[in-house]
Amino acid sequence: MKTLGFTPTGKFAEVSITGHYCPLNCPMCRGKWLKGMTPAISPDDLVRLGHKLRKKGVEGILISGGLGPDGKLPMRPFVSAIRELKEMGFFISVHTGVVGKEEAKLLSTARVDLADYELILDEGAIKTAKSLTLTPDDFVRGMELLIESSIEVVPHITVGLPGSRENWFEEAANVIRELGIRRSVVLVFIPTPGTPFEDHDPPSPIRVIEVVRLLSRYSKVSLGCMRPPWMKKRLDSALNGLVDRIANPHPSLGLDIVHACCSIPEEVVERFV
């Protein structure tokens, strides 16, 4: 299997509609990972940014941001702006958070192409790592609603979440199989300085590889951008050829690069080469 590198630069932009602020402020991240995204905190800001990016040749936009206490991205005010971006010709993916019927309908109305969907099927991790009162069934139902709204879903599964059981990945694999998911993304917990889990041990590369092999039975798998920097060279080398995509790969691998997020469908890859 040939492995490609994916970097969301040049032809792809990552935008936060909550700026550098996260309403949830969960103990896993405390909003620190939003600082690398371009802020657009109002619908007008997002449209203006879209015009600027289009002039620079950008083809795709990831719309993300901090989640609310309900685990959802506060996107309601942005639906018309997202649709306007789509009319400009962008490929649009959204970090949706857990959605209900209303959010799925709004995303469909906005003509979103892809939902990058954090999937957690472990109640301990949902509570401990994310400070949410949701259940695993809530996460699965959100995926189902998006699929029913004709939005492709790419589940993102994090290995090593604080509070999680060892075997919940079997349940994730079953959901991926049952829903006919084409691609999943494996992430690795990063102990982030300044958070309650800064001293929490990340999973071993061996454990990450085990999860990748499990999910690969039912979908194509990307190694996503979230993984500890000190693990990157060893893990990327081990997964080169086992996954077909690695986000922000270690330069020693010398992979051919696609300028987009690693979750995009195969049929649009050529736009970002």
Side-chain angles (χ1 to χ4, degrees):
M1 179 189 299
K2 180 177 180 179
T3 302
L4 295 174
F6 278 68
T7 59
T9 57
K11 293 186 177 183
F12 212 94
E14 298 174 305
V15 178
S16 170
I17 59 174
T18 65
H20 298 158
Y21 168 67
C22 179
L24 180 60
N25 198 36
C26 78
M28 193 174 100
C29 166
R30 293 292 192 235
K32 293 180 180 294
W33 297 104
L34 293 175
K35 294 180 180 179
M37 296 183 175
T38 302
I41 60 174
S42 74
D44 287 343
D45 287 345
L46 185 58
V47 172
R48 282 193 292 267
L49 177 63
H51 285 297
K52 291 179 182 178
L53 293 173
R54 207 73 181 106
K55 289 178 181 178
K56 293 180 180 180
V58 173
E59 293 283 337
I61 296 178
L62 167 65
I63 295 174
S64 186
L67 302 182
D70 56 1
K72 299 175 181 180
L73 183 69
M75 63 180 176
R76 174 193 283 272
F78 292 87
V79 171
S80 295
I82 294 171
R83 187 179 179 93
E84 195 166 340
L85 294 181
K86 188 63 187 169
E87 291 169 352
M88 294 180 200
F90 287 108
F91 177 90
I92 303 289
S93 58
V94 179
H95 271 156
T96 61
V98 177
V99 304
K101 289 183 179 179
E102 180 184 7
E103 291 79 25
K105 182 177 180 180
L106 289 173
L107 288 163
S108 179
T109 299
R111 296 173 55 206
V112 166
D113 295 290
L114 183 76
D116 287 302
Y117 192 91
E118 184 177 21
L119 179 63
I120 309 175
L121 300 183
D122 184 281
E123 290 193 13
I126 295 170
K127 180 179 179 180
T128 303
K130 304 299 290 187
S131 293
L132 293 170
T133 58
L134 300 171
T135 68
D137 286 345
D138 293 325
F139 280 83
V140 175
R141 183 58 182 151
M143 290 179 65
E144 292 172 342
L145 288 167
L146 288 165
I147 292 169
E148 290 168 8
S149 297
S150 300
I151 297 171
E152 179 155 10
V153 179
V154 177
H156 289 49
I157 296 167
T158 303
V159 185
L161 283 174
S164 63
R165 296 172 288 116
E166 275 289 307
N167 62 350
W168 75 270
F169 304 105
E170 294 279 356
E171 296 156 32
N174 287 334
V175 169
I176 287 168
R177 174 180 56 81
E178 290 169 3
L179 295 182
I181 297 298
R182 292 203 293 172
R183 176 170 298 279
S184 53
V185 175
V186 170
L187 306 173
V188 185
F189 171 73
I190 300 175
T192 302
T195 70
F197 297 121
E198 62 181 342
D199 296 322
H200 187 88
D201 290 331
S204 68
I206 292 174
R207 181 57 179 149
V208 178
I209 293 167
E210 289 173 348
V211 173
V212 167
R213 289 187 183 277
L214 171 64
L215 299 180
S216 295
R217 299 175 191 171
Y218 308 113
S219 73
K220 292 186 176 181
V221 178
S222 301
L223 178 62
C225 54
M226 190 176 86
R227 56 197 190 278
W230 61 88
M231 188 186 294
K232 183 176 282 193
K233 185 174 183 179
R234 179 183 174 190
L235 185 62
D236 292 10
S237 296
L239 288 175
N240 186 17
L242 292 178
V243 298
D244 65 338
R245 299 178 180 183
I246 297 177
N248 299 326
H250 193 276
S252 64
L253 271 62
L255 301 181
D256 292 337
I257 298 297
V258 178
H259 298 278
C261 285
C262 68
S263 57
I264 64 171
E266 273 75 10
E267 52 267 28
V268 300
V269 167
E270 285 299 319
R271 288 179 65 179
F272 301 97
V273 174

